[in-house]
Structure formats: structure tokens, C-alpha cells
Amino acid sequence: MERAKAAWQAALEAAESAGVSLGPIHGMSGAERVSDVVEALWGPGQLPPSLVRAFDHAGTVILGAEEAGELVGFVLGFPGLDEGLHMHSHMLGVLSKWQSRGVGYALKLGQRAACLDRGIQEARWTYDPLVARNAWFNVMKLGVVATRLLRGFYGQMDDEINRGDRSDRFEVRWRLESDRVRRALLGESPVPSAGPILLDAEGDAHAPVPRETGAAPEPGAVIRVPLDYHEMRRRDPALGTAWRDASARTFEACFQSGLVAAWISRDGRYVFEPAKEALK
């Protein structure tokens, strides 16, 4: 209980720093507000209010971030049972004008506290491993570990961000009370020793070409991703496909060798480490 209280204190302090308040989302009116945020970010029809209402009725965790009565962000998860009880954090969204202010961070810390309230020790979710900004947030700010690549996980997506792209995703595990997570939340994640580069970026920083080196995966393996994958793919879809395919091959080689994505630099260099060490 004391740990959950401390987790809530951290979440509320983060929310105050971001200029928002955190609170649970309930009822049909709350579900409609969440759907409005989703539509603003991903387009119409991506998360109907009826489904949000069903999650709410089932007692799952849905938290909102508000400012002056406006819902500016939310996080939604539901319990999962595969390989033990965990919270599957399905969706987090923050309105564009509120992004990069710490709102998403506050929402994730609130989700962490709500999980600990319920005795849940692990949260999991998926994200696109080629989106470097999201990778930094997940791996470095929160302390997750990416444990596998799920090729085409969501099938063909029709939202405004992912349309026309293969929906490859990393699955990550967030062990809520681990030393790794505590260090990340304090901003004290150690810099690992880099090993062989499996995938590098060459040429223009805004439109780099992927180069697979042929190096074998081993602890410290480095895989580079573009600084702004979505913008690059928007300008050159073929180059986006090249990165999608090359990264999938090298990611899978690392995972198959017992390595996990445990660190990433600001310029998009993943470092893979042995799973037993990274998941402590």
C-alpha cells in the first residue's frame, strides 16, 4: 500500500508539472470524450464510445488528463492473462498541442499507480519500433524492455498515421517495481557498452538509407532507426518499406539470440542486452 501511495504521489507531481490533473474516466459521457481525443489523433472510427464504456463497466483502468475541464489526454488498459496477470496498456493519446509537455508521462505514472493499487506488478503494450521518439519515451523514460517483434500485428490499419504501412510492433514489458524501472523514473539509467552494429543509417539524416552489416547478434548489438520515420515514409514510401524490412530482420535476429531491446540513444541507436539481465 505504501508503494502505491508513493507511485500516486509521483504521478500527481508529474501531472502538476505538465499543467494537468489526473482522474478516472467513467460513464458514457467520459467514453465519448475519450473517443473525441482518439478521433482528433487517429481519425474517425478508431475507438467507438461503446467499447470505452464496456471497458469502464468492467472496472479496468482508464485515466484522463484534464486542463480547465478539457480532456487533453488519456490512457486505457485492460487485464491480460498470458504468462501471468498483467495490465495490457492498449492506447495512450495526448492532443497535439499538449504533446511534449509531460502529459503522457504523467498518464503512464498514473497507470502504474493504479496497477499497484490492484496488486498488478507488470504492464505490457506494443509500439512501433521505428518511431524513435516513442522508443525513447518507453525505454528510457519509463524503463520498459522490448522482448519480441510482432510482424504485422494489427494487420492493415486505416488510421491517418499507419495507413499503407506494415504494422510491425515491439511488445514491451514494464515491471513496475523493478530496479530498472526505479532507475529510469529517476533518470539514472546506465549507458551500456555498445557492441557490433547490425543495422546502420547512411546518407542524409532526414532520409537515411538502411545498411545491414551482416554482423552476428551478441550482447551490446546496435540497431539504428531513422530520427523521424513517419515524415521520412510520408516523403518516400519505398524508403519506409526498406527500413521496415531491414529492421525486422535485424530485430528478429537479436530476439532469437536471447537479446532484448534495453536502451536507445537520442539519435535512434537501440542497444540489445541479454534478457535475463535486462529484465531484473
Side-chain angles (χ1 to χ4, degrees):
M1 185 62 71
E2 290 302 317
R3 290 177 177 178
K5 287 182 179 179
W8 273 117
Q9 181 178 354
L12 295 175
E13 288 175 355
E16 182 178 5
S17 178
V20 297
S21 60
L22 292 183
I25 298 291
H26 291 306
M28 195 62 204
S29 61
E32 290 171 345
R33 297 173 77 202
V34 168
S35 289
D36 287 344
V37 173
V38 173
E39 181 169 343
L41 292 170
W42 288 282
Q46 300 303 315
L47 186 65
S50 58
L51 184 57
V52 181
R53 180 69 180 102
F55 287 140
D56 169 39
H57 181 70
T60 191
V61 175
I62 310 176
L63 294 176
E66 292 192 11
E67 194 276 331
E70 178 189 11
L71 186 70
V72 302
F74 74 94
V75 64
L76 181 155
F78 49 84
L81 301 175
D82 183 45
E83 297 184 29
L85 178 65
H86 61 277
M87 180 65 68
H88 178 78
S89 184
H90 180 59
M91 186 174 281
L92 182 149
V94 176
L95 292 178
S96 297
K97 66 181 181 180
W98 281 88
Q99 291 175 7
S100 301
R101 300 192 194 184
V103 177
Y105 183 65
L107 285 165
K108 291 303 293 186
L109 293 191
Q111 186 179 55
R112 175 176 180 258
C115 286
L116 294 176
D117 274 345
R118 292 159 173 79
I120 298 174
Q121 297 293 312
E122 180 174 287
R124 302 178 199 168
W125 60 90
T126 66
Y127 79 90
D128 186 341
L130 291 184
V131 181
R133 181 179 65 177
N134 288 353
W136 174 269
F137 175 75
N138 286 315
V139 177
M140 304 306 296
K141 290 280 288 182
L142 299 179
V144 308
V145 173
T147 56
R148 59 174 169 167
L149 177 73
L150 304 167
R151 284 202 187 215
F153 182 62
Y154 290 111
Q156 294 297 317
M157 304 180 74
D158 62 357
D159 65 273
E160 295 177 3
I161 295 175
N162 297 289
R163 187 179 296 115
D165 195 9
R166 192 174 72 223
S167 56
D168 291 1
R169 297 292 182 267
F170 271 176
E171 180 180 62
V172 304
R173 299 194 178 207
W174 196 26
R175 296 195 167 169
L176 304 177
E177 293 194 286
S178 67
D179 288 341
R180 174 185 175 81
V181 168
R182 290 194 184 100
R183 288 195 301 267
L185 298 186
L186 292 171
E188 298 176 352
S189 298
V191 179
S193 298
I197 298 174
L198 275 63
L199 179 65
D200 208 350
E202 295 185 335
D204 184 350
H206 299 289
V209 175
R211 181 178 68 86
E212 296 175 75
T213 67
E218 60 182 63
V222 175
I223 293 178
R224 190 79 173 264
V225 297
L227 289 175
D228 190 341
Y229 171 73
H230 285 315
E231 176 60 20
M232 182 196 71
R233 188 177 77 89
R234 185 189 67 78
R235 289 187 278 109
D236 190 341
L239 184 57
T241 298
W243 272 103
R244 183 65 72 192
D245 291 340
S247 65
R249 287 189 291 268
T250 50
F251 289 145
E252 288 175 338
C254 286
F255 290 130
Q256 289 165 6
S257 297
L259 305 176
V260 295
W263 190 85
I264 189 169
S265 66
R266 281 289 194 181
D267 63 352
R269 290 178 292 115
Y270 281 104
V271 176
F272 282 71
E273 299 179 338
K276 289 183 179 180
E277 297 177 14
L279 286 166
K280 288 180 180 178

